[in-house]
Amino acid sequence: MELKDLYRDVILDHNRQPRNFGPLEGPNAQAEGHNPLCGDRLSLFLRLSGDRVEDVSFEGSGCAISTASASMMTEAIKGKDRAMIGRLFSKVHSLLTQADAAPAPELGKLAALSGVREFPMRVKCATLCWHTLNAALEQKTSTVSTE
Ligand code: ZN
């Protein structure tokens, strides 16, 4: 099986059966995302413990790319702290925007998004969940300060 087909199957699988989809018990940060170019809408819920994402879920409706991207992102960030999430996002961003970027090993399944860069219009579909995540993380910082 070609890598391209494998990537497509990962995207289709996450679109059909999104992981961490639905309400979250006791979220303490959340944000809404909207991509008007495609019509993707996303609500992201986080349960943060200090600097770490203890649990995460999302709801909403969008195209296959946006749904699969959000699903894979929730799997990738669960249990990670802000610094690790920031590094992961910059790797995803390079993957989506740099023509020859080879997927960094720590991207894992997120490497499946590399095919999206052949369709510049869809890059925003794939990054919507990450921008929404950043908004949720910032909201938390601005409202709660224990340090
Ligand atoms: Zn979309």
Side-chain angles (χ1 to χ4, degrees), residues 35 37-40 62-66 121-122 124-126:
N35 171 21
L37 281 177
C38 178
D40 309 313
C63 65
I65 303 278
S66 73
M121 288 288 292
R122 313 311 295 279
K124 282 189 194 313
C125 301

